[in-house]
Every structure is written in structure tokens, then in C-alpha cells.
Amino acid sequence: MTASPPPGSLQGQRLLLCVGGGIAAYKALELVRRLRDAGAVVQVAMTEGAQQFVTPLSFQALSGQPVRTSLWDSAAEAAMGHIELARWADRILVAPATADLLARLSHGFANDLVTTLCLATTAPITVAPAMNHRMWLHPATQANIATLRERGVQIIGPEDGPLAEGESGPGRLSEPEQIVAALGSAAAVPPTHAGELAGLKVVVSAGPTYEDLDPVRYLGNRSSGKMGFAVAASAARRGAEVVLVAGPVQLPTPSGVKRIDVRSAAQMREAVFGAFPADIYIGAAAVADYSPRVSVQNKIKKTGETLTLDLVRTPDILAEVAAQTQGLKLVVGFAAETENVAHYARGKLQAKRLDMIVANQVGIAGGGFESDQNAMTAYWNGGERDFSTAPKTQLADALMDLIVERMNA
Ligand code: PMT
């Protein structure tokens, strides 16, 4: 009996790596090694530009397979024609994807081997962009990325950091291990769910908010952001354009997700509304209910035996989102409760006029805040669904299944 591959592994996947012509092409060599370590069978195709940076021979040595470099190579076409190669692949990965390559892919060009393979395949396509940060931020590139995302193409990166030209900004190719991990999680989404949110925009809030008392102290809570980040990652894997508004947490940004870091409830509100219009809002953040009336400029000095803080209510972001129905298909809240969980959660569903609320118990070991796992129950008008204890990443996938189901109900 053969053991089935673990979920998310690339075991046995036939992966066609298309290498674009950028300085980051050298990283694609390491990528081949990592992909093979993860169990994938890798074949490589290169653009003409890519061959200016790295030789086909290097890829041949690392992949253990002949490398394809041209549409017009009669010997290669006689062995495995390009249409056959496009059919062979379980997934195509374009890395590095240059601005030019993204433009040609988004417009359906077939003017070289790589673009022809991408047009001729029915396999899912992943692109890992790498370029100068100004080229990445240019409206033309952003429009091309939006088109590709809308078509269900998985986008990995680019990362923010130092670039080859000595400048810094978003444009670095994601590290090979990040790309392999993102491909693994895409493989974990059953093909029936991949791309089901393509063309939709999802805004997710996650983590705590910090309400500053003075330059050294704040009011905060124990949210780690793990639940919200997992939800954002799951939505991105299904092809959605995802904006993740994150309170102060130390978590890596999920692949294909646009992250906006904030600190206070007021900043979170501004970032959430700044990200609209959207189709789905999921409020997983533990937003402070109260904030100091004033945050003083200097450290509060120890004077009396007691200290009374003057706090004011923060804006209820979720309730405000639910009240403005403009274009939103579904508004989902979370309820963190220590007692009477179902009762309070149902109350919030009605009071905030939500489409769904996801209740979880906090203040317990092995669930709620900080933990890697959780248990929760989703309530909507006329129904409910239990999600028993599981890793937050798994719960996020199960919750996204339900969200898609409710949206289409
Ligand atoms: O981040 P982790 O460590 O992974 O933990 C996950 C979690 C426990 C934080 C998460 O699963 C969760 O329950 N999030 C909501 C926490 C919360 O603030 O619950 P609440 O019952 O106080 O608020 C109800 C809803 O209103 C929430 O969707 C919240 O985002 C929203 N809200 C609350 C207050 C406010 N001023 N604005 C809001 O939008």
C-alpha cells in the first residue's frame, strides 16, 4: 500500500518552471533544488532574456531534465512538443516574472516559448514577480497583476527590501522556500475551490489594537493575529484580491495578500474603509472597545496610590461596515467570549446586523487567543455550523468554504 502525500506537499507534482529574464533568475536555480526536495518533478523553460543571466546547462544539471529555450527548436519539438509540455504540467510557475513577462501574460501574447506555454496550458499558473520597485508600482504593472489575479493566477510576492540597483522597495523575488511553501498551500486547496473567489475583493482585519496612554504604555489584548492571517491566506489561495489590515503582530504576510499595518482602533477603521469597495469583509481583529480620551505626550508620572483612566468608546468598525451596504456581498464578524458564548454571539449577529458571526471561547488553554488551534461555531440567520478543535489554518479553510456557500445561497 502506498502512503498518500501529506496535504500541501508537492509530492509527485509535475511542475513546469518558466524562468524570466531578470537578475533574480539566479535564485531560480536554488528554487529548482527546493522544488525537487519538496517532491516535485521539475522541467524548466527559459525566455531569451533569462539565458542572458543563467545558462540552460545549470538548470539541466539541477532539474535532471532537458531545458527548453525556444519555440523553434526542431529537435526539442520532436521529443516533447510545446503543446505536449503545456499538457504535461500539473502547474506552471513563472519565476522570476518580469514586468514585460507579466504584461505579455496578461494580454495573452504567444510570441515566445514561455508565453505560448502559459496560453496553451489548462494547469493553474503561479507567478512570482521580481523587478525594480518603480516598475512594480507603475499603474500598468498593477493593472496587469489585477487582470492575472482576476483570472485565478496565484501571485507570490514580491517582497519589500534592497534591490539589485542599490535602491529599496517592493520588487524582490520571494525567497525559494517562501515560494515552495506558497505552492504547497495552493496544492492543499482542493481544485474544486481554487479560483472560486477570483475577481472578488476580500478585506480581513486581524490582530489586536494598541491604544496609547503615553509614549511608553498602551492598552492592548492577547490577539496574535493567527486566526485572521489564516483567513486572509485562505481567501488569497482561492484567487481573491485580499487586503489584510493587521494590528501590531509579528507574523509573515501570507502570499498574495496586501497587508496594511496599523496600531490603534482609529487607524484600523481608516485602513478598512480605505480598502473599500470590497465584496467581503471579515472582522477577525480584537479591536479595543475603549481608548484613552487623550494620549499624553510625556510619560505619566507615579503620583497617587490609584490612577483613574478616562476612556472613551472606539468606533465599532464591524457595525459601521455592516451599516454601509455599498457593494458588499457578505459581512462576517468574530465574537470572542469567555461565557454564554452562543447567547452573546447571536446578540452581536443581530445588533451589528451581520450576515454571519463566528464565535469562539477565549481565556482558555488550547484555543482562542495566541494558540495555534481553536474551536468555533458560526451563526447566521436560520443556521449554525460547529467547527471542532483544529489548527487555525484548517479552520480558516473550513470557514472560507462556509463563507463561499453562504455568499452563493
Ligand atoms: O488573533 P488570535 O490570537 O489568533 O486569536 C483569534 C481571536 C480570538 C482574536 C479571533 O478568533 C476573534 O474572536 N476575533 C474577534 C475578537 C473580538 O474583538 O471580539 P468582540 O466580540 O469583542 O468583537 C466582535 C466583533 O466586532 C469582532 O469581529 C471585532 O473585530 C469587531 N469590533 C469590535 C470592536 C470595535 N470597536 N470594532 C470592531 O470592529
Side-chain angles (χ1 to χ4, degrees):
M1 203 174 82
T2 51
S4 56
S9 100
L10 299 179
Q11 196 60 48
Q13 261 214 24
R14 290 179 302 204
L15 212 137
L16 177 58
L17 172 64
C18 294
V19 185
I23 180 65
Y26 79 93
K27 279 196 189 173
L29 292 170
E30 169 70 4
L31 184 56
V32 172
R33 204 177 60 77
R34 299 266 180 173
L35 290 167
R36 292 191 72 191
D37 286 351
V41 180
V42 183
Q43 290 213 52
V44 179
M46 301 174 76
T47 63
E48 264 184 45
Q51 296 164 59
Q52 302 296 318
F53 291 94
V54 193
T55 66
L57 201 60
S58 308
F59 282 108
Q60 186 174 310
L62 286 164
S63 66
Q65 306 274 352
V67 171
R68 296 292 307 262
T69 55
S70 167
L71 255 182
W72 316 114
D73 180 336
S74 49
E77 282 294 310
M80 190 192 270
H82 63 275
I83 297 292
E84 228 178 307
L85 185 57
R87 276 206 208 113
W88 169 87
D90 292 324
R91 176 172 289 273
I92 292 186
L93 167 63
V94 184
T98 59
D100 172 69
L101 198 41
L102 290 173
R104 289 189 291 133
L105 291 175
S106 88
H107 287 87
F109 279 33
N111 56 351
D112 69 357
L113 175 66
V114 164
T115 48
T116 304
L117 287 167
C118 289
L119 208 57
T121 194
T122 54
I125 299 179
T126 297
V127 298
M131 66 198 72
N132 169 272
H133 63 297
R134 287 197 194 87
M135 292 170 79
W136 169 251
L137 294 172
H138 194 285
T141 306
Q142 289 302 308
N144 291 331
I145 279 287
T147 303
L148 292 172
R149 185 177 275 125
E150 215 162 287
R151 282 190 209 135
V153 171
Q154 183 193 18
I155 320 280
I156 302 177
E159 310 303 321
D160 212 320
L163 301 167
E165 320 79 86
E167 296 183 296
S168 190
R172 280 172 67 83
L173 182 69
S174 297
E175 291 304 322
E177 61 268 30
Q178 281 175 293
I179 297 176
V180 173
L183 286 174
S185 24
V189 173
T192 44
H193 293 295
E196 67 188 356
L197 292 178
L200 297 185
K201 184 169 180 183
V202 179
V203 178
V204 182
S205 74
T209 64
Y210 287 176
E211 310 301 320
D212 290 333
L213 288 162
D214 67 15
V216 292
R217 306 179 183 95
Y218 60 84
L219 297 173
N221 62 65
R222 294 172 194 273
S223 170
S224 63
K226 286 176 190 168
M227 192 69 235
F229 273 56
V231 167
S234 180
R237 286 198 295 270
R238 291 158 199 252
E241 176 189 352
V242 181
V243 178
L244 172 62
V245 180
V249 295
Q250 304 299 320
L251 291 176
T253 309
S255 165
V257 166
K258 179 179 175 200
R259 173 178 180 169
I260 303 174
D261 286 314
V262 298
R263 183 171 174 86
S264 64
Q267 288 171 1
M268 186 168 274
R269 179 187 178 280
E270 204 183 318
V272 164
F273 280 96
F276 283 170
D279 300 282
I280 301 175
Y281 176 72
I282 305 170
V287 187
D289 290 320
Y290 291 91
S291 181
R293 185 180 294 278
V294 283
S295 168
V296 295
Q297 285 207 326
N298 295 312
K299 184 180 169 191
I300 300 169
K301 301 309 285 181
K302 190 167 36 174
T303 48
E305 281 308 305
T306 59
L307 173 71
T308 305
L309 296 174
D310 188 12
L311 304 177
V312 291
R313 280 286 289 272
T314 55
D316 191 319
I317 306 166
L318 181 63
E320 273 187 55
V321 168
Q324 63 98 47
T325 47
Q326 192 198 7
L328 273 162
K329 296 182 172 64
L330 211 76
V331 178
V332 180
F334 271 72
E337 308 291 348
T338 54
E339 54 173 354
N340 299 328
V341 179
H343 174 71
Y344 287 132
R346 285 183 189 281
K348 286 175 186 175
L349 176 72
Q350 301 308 334
K352 301 195 188 201
R353 307 172 80 87
L354 309 176
D355 296 304
M356 189 194 296
I357 193 145
V358 185
N360 48 185
Q361 187 154 14
V362 290
I364 48 160
F369 289 128
E370 292 171 312
S371 168
D372 283 335
Q373 52 176 30
N374 207 2
M376 48 199 211
T377 306
Y379 300 94
W380 61 94
N381 281 328
E384 63 181 80
R385 185 172 301 173
D386 279 328
F387 299 94
S388 53
T389 304
K392 283 178 177 170
T393 46
Q394 255 179 47
L395 288 176
D397 276 331
L399 178 61
M400 283 312 301
D401 287 349
L402 177 61
I403 285 174
V404 172
E405 206 181 297
R406 294 304 309 152
M407 198 175 60
N408 297 329

